[in-house]
Amino acid sequence: MVARSSEVRPTAVQRSASPGAGARRGRRAGRLAGLGFGGASLLVLLTGCDVGAAFGGFGWPQGGITPEARRMYDLWIASCIAALVVGLLVWGLIFWCIVRYRKRGNELPVQTRYNLPMEFLYTIAPVLVVAVLFYYTAVIQTDVVKTTRNPDVTVEVVAFKWNWQFNYRDGQGEDANTTASVLGTSEVIPILVLPTDRSIRFEETSRDVVHSFWVPEMLFKRDVMPGNIRNVFEVSRLEGEGAYVGRCAELCGSYHAFMNFELRVVTPEKFDRFLAAKQDGASTQDALTAIGEEPYAVTTRPFETRRTEHNFNQGSAAAGAGS
Ligand SMILES: [Cu+2]
């Protein structure tokens, strides 16, 4: 059934009458108040508190210990806020259209097409959004992966199935010499001792397959390649003293999950004493004790590899649990 125009028109006429105008003014005032309230709460949110912390980092790990980690974290938080603002705008427009242009009768609504400004807007707006995101990502990525000519400390990370060796170097590249070394075994977790407030260069190499050097608090991981590929990255400084677990983040074989190490960040003064003790021939554990640090890893422990047994799960109390 098609509604006759006489059935529609009275409503339209009534709308333009003075009581309707009053209602419209009321609605506009309400909308303005809503906008004002939304803007004010956004301002409070942005200035009054750490937005990232308030929303659990929007899923991004918090507590980075390098300036690079903080920059990446800030990029993530800013991208999430930008995405939410765009999302709220789009959702708002969708719901506004649903309500404002809902079906009121059986008459075909006004058909709009070839609206040039509108088409221009929805082509340009996404390009602008992508361009802004791309710009900040490129700037921060370049900053995070940049290397310098004279870092304060250079450490060579040697990965092998299934442990780590950390060589303190007197220069850069393959030709430099190792001045002290820490080697992990099945019984002892290797501890990579590094100082706060000094720039550190990591040079990675693998003895066998591809591994990945990862300290979660750095919010950064990089593959460790075999052969003559030497992956290098730097952190401008480590900010927090403490012990942080490190892991292999590339599936590299049966005992990949056991390939842990510990990053121990100490003061520069303690670091110098640790290095001197190592160079004098002390073991890593003795050198750590000498500078007043725990001699063994505190964030992780060696795993029972059961390499002497034929069946990996043999005698395991956990085997079958949960069935
Ligand atoms: Cu590995």
Side-chain angles (χ1 to χ4, degrees), residues 49-83:
C49 66
D50 181 352
V51 183
F55 290 95
F58 293 112
W60 187 280
Q62 296 177 75
I65 55 168
T66 63
E68 287 80 7
R70 269 192 287 111
R71 292 206 70 188
M72 288 186 281
Y73 175 82
D74 290 346
L75 172 67
W76 172 252
I77 298 300
S79 304
C80 283
I81 292 172

Side-chain angles (χ1 to χ4, degrees), residues 39-316:
S41 12
L42 193 68
L43 261 182
V44 168
L45 210 64
L46 291 177
T47 55
C49 66
D50 181 352
V51 183
F55 290 95
F58 293 112
W60 187 280
Q62 296 177 75
I65 55 168
T66 63
E68 287 80 7
R70 269 192 287 111
R71 292 206 70 188
M72 288 186 281
Y73 175 82
D74 290 346
L75 172 67
W76 172 252
I77 298 300
S79 304
C80 283
I81 292 172
L84 278 174
V85 169
V86 173
L88 285 175
L89 181 73
V90 172
W91 290 327
L93 284 174
I94 289 173
F95 286 114
W96 178 70
C97 287
I98 290 172
V99 176
R100 175 71 178 80
Y101 298 106
R102 67 188 183 278
K103 188 176 178 184
R104 290 200 174 83
N106 286 329
E107 205 169 307
L108 194 66
V110 182
Q111 301 297 294
T112 310
R113 69 193 96 172
Y114 307 124
N115 187 325
L116 204 62
M118 211 59 185
E119 287 181 17
F120 193 69
L121 180 75
Y122 65 60
T123 308
I124 290 299
V127 171
L128 269 180
V129 169
V130 170
V132 169
L133 286 178
F134 180 84
Y135 170 77
Y136 284 107
T137 305
V139 165
I140 289 171
Q141 179 181 296
T142 308
D143 179 61
V144 165
V145 299
K146 79 164 185 287
T147 52
T148 57
R149 219 170 259 176
N150 284 310
D152 299 326
V153 179
T154 300
V155 61
E156 183 185 50
V157 174
V158 185
F160 57 93
K161 287 199 250 181
W162 283 278
N163 222 308
W164 303 88
Q165 182 171 12
F166 302 112
N167 298 325
Y168 297 92
R169 309 280 276 178
D170 63 358
Q172 294 162 27
E174 273 177 86
D175 299 331
N177 300 304
T178 296
T179 60
S181 185
V182 172
L183 175 65
T185 67
S186 297
E187 285 75 40
V188 180
I189 294 282
I191 298 179
L192 171 58
V193 181
L194 288 174
T196 52
D197 299 323
R198 283 188 188 171
S199 62
I200 294 148
R201 177 186 179 95
F202 297 86
E203 297 189 353
E204 304 177 336
T205 181
S206 167
R207 291 268 178 270
D208 36 51
V209 297
V210 182
H211 300 272
S212 182
F213 177 87
W214 182 37
V215 177
E217 277 79 5
M218 284 187 190
L219 303 186
F220 187 88
K221 56 187 163 191
R222 174 140 286 178
D223 278 2
V224 186
M225 313 294 281
N228 48 18
I229 300 170
R230 205 172 170 84
N231 276 347
V232 172
F233 74 95
E234 287 183 19
V235 296
S236 48
R237 63 197 183 94
L238 293 163
E239 290 171 336
E241 277 177 60
Y244 309 93
V245 70
R247 303 182 193 282
C248 175
E250 182 72 60
L251 181 57
C252 57
S254 309
Y255 298 98
H256 154 71
F258 302 170
M259 213 174 139
N260 285 0
F261 62 95
E262 182 170 294
L263 169 66
R264 189 75 64 82
V265 184
V266 299
T267 61
E269 180 267 328
K270 274 186 174 181
F271 173 74
D272 292 340
R273 275 168 48 212
F274 170 83
L275 216 53
K278 284 291 290 181
Q279 284 160 358
D280 284 346
S283 71
T284 303
Q285 274 59 49
D286 288 346
L288 278 167
T289 310
I291 60 167
E293 288 282 324
E294 281 290 325
Y296 291 98
V298 293
T299 56
T300 181
R301 56 184 176 75
F303 291 86
E304 178 52 70
T305 55
R306 298 196 194 99
R307 282 176 203 185
T308 50
E309 295 175 25
H310 295 300
N311 184 348
F312 180 73
N313 287 319
Q314 204 173 43
S316 168

